[in-house]
Amino acid sequence: MVVGNIKHEDAAEQWSPALFLVGGALVTTHATIQAINAFTAMTTPPDVFVTTGHLVALVGLLGLYPVLVDRTPRLARVAGAVATVAIAGWSIMTVTQFLTVAGVVSSMTDVLPGALVVVVLASITLTYVLFGVGTLRLGGESRTVGLLVLAPAALFVVLLVAYAGMGVSAGLGVSIGGGFALSMLALGARLRSWDRPTEHTVPTNDATAG
């Protein structure tokens, strides 16, 4: 079982940069559609890119878990639990968005309760905060990675504050969408050359647990 877990962790680390790059590309498409809708009268394709992009990036974030659990196990386990909630929520939103485009449901806001959307946004924000803080604590060049992980969290805070206040204007929406895209692409590029601080170590209790 331990060998299998290590293989899964290595796979998560290997695919993490690519997932962030894919997520960033999808969110870039979303931001482009936002900009076209906001500032032109051109017709745009249905936007299924934002929920899919954030979901893909969240899965990519799990690639940091093996390093964090090796160095800061308590924080990593809390981050992993919150990430599970966030991934489940964004999966629901992504499926609902595709059903909306297919005409099966009228809209995401009609199907999903507002409370669920708040939980989804709060959970993804907390996920990025926990993973970002954990990565910062690794020290060295990992601080750059940690700051890049914290960038989406800051953008989600701005988004939540805007929603709670006067709402999200077209210009702010484009700016936030572009910020998400840039942070994901930058993180994916940085992770490709990131020298992770340690090899995996397997605690004795885990190695003898069965």
Side-chain angles (χ1 to χ4, degrees):
M1 293 298 294
V2 172
V3 174
N5 288 338
I6 292 176
K7 287 182 179 179
H8 287 307
E9 291 175 353
D10 289 341
E13 289 181 337
Q14 178 183 356
W15 284 100
S16 182
L19 289 172
F20 273 110
L21 292 173
V22 171
L26 290 168
V27 177
T28 298
T29 306
H30 160 70
T32 302
I33 291 175
Q34 274 189 311
I36 293 173
N37 289 335
F39 305 117
T40 75
M42 294 174 58
T43 302
T44 57
D47 187 359
V48 296
F49 304 101
V50 60
T51 54
T52 309
H54 281 296
L55 177 59
V56 171
L58 265 175
V59 176
L61 196 60
L62 295 180
L64 302 179
Y65 182 83
V67 176
L68 297 186
V69 79
D70 203 39
R71 301 289 294 274
T72 56
R74 291 183 180 179
L75 179 61
R77 291 188 179 101
V78 173
V82 177
T84 301
V85 175
I87 289 172
W90 281 95
S91 297
I92 293 172
M93 290 178 63
T94 299
V95 171
T96 304
Q97 185 65 15
F98 275 100
L99 292 176
T100 300
V101 171
V104 177
V105 298
S106 55
S107 71
M108 184 183 298
T109 55
D110 289 341
V111 175
L112 300 181
L116 175 62
V117 177
V118 172
V119 169
V120 170
L121 292 176
S123 63
I124 193 173
T125 304
L126 184 56
T127 297
Y128 276 108
V129 168
L130 292 172
F131 274 92
V133 170
T135 308
L136 284 174
R137 290 176 63 181
L138 298 178
E141 65 179 38
S142 298
R143 291 191 179 95
T144 303
V145 176
L147 290 173
L148 288 173
V149 173
L150 288 173
L155 291 168
F156 273 116
V157 170
V158 173
L159 188 62
L160 287 167
V161 170
Y163 271 129
M166 299 299 294
V168 180
S169 65
L172 180 60
V174 172
S175 299
I176 292 176
F180 280 129
L182 287 175
S183 63
M184 290 176 186
L185 292 171
L187 185 53
R190 183 65 187 88
L191 288 176
R192 294 181 69 179
S193 60
W194 181 35
D195 185 15
R196 288 170 172 78
T198 59
E199 297 289 336
H200 299 320
T201 58
V202 180
T204 303
N205 291 342
D206 291 345
T208 59

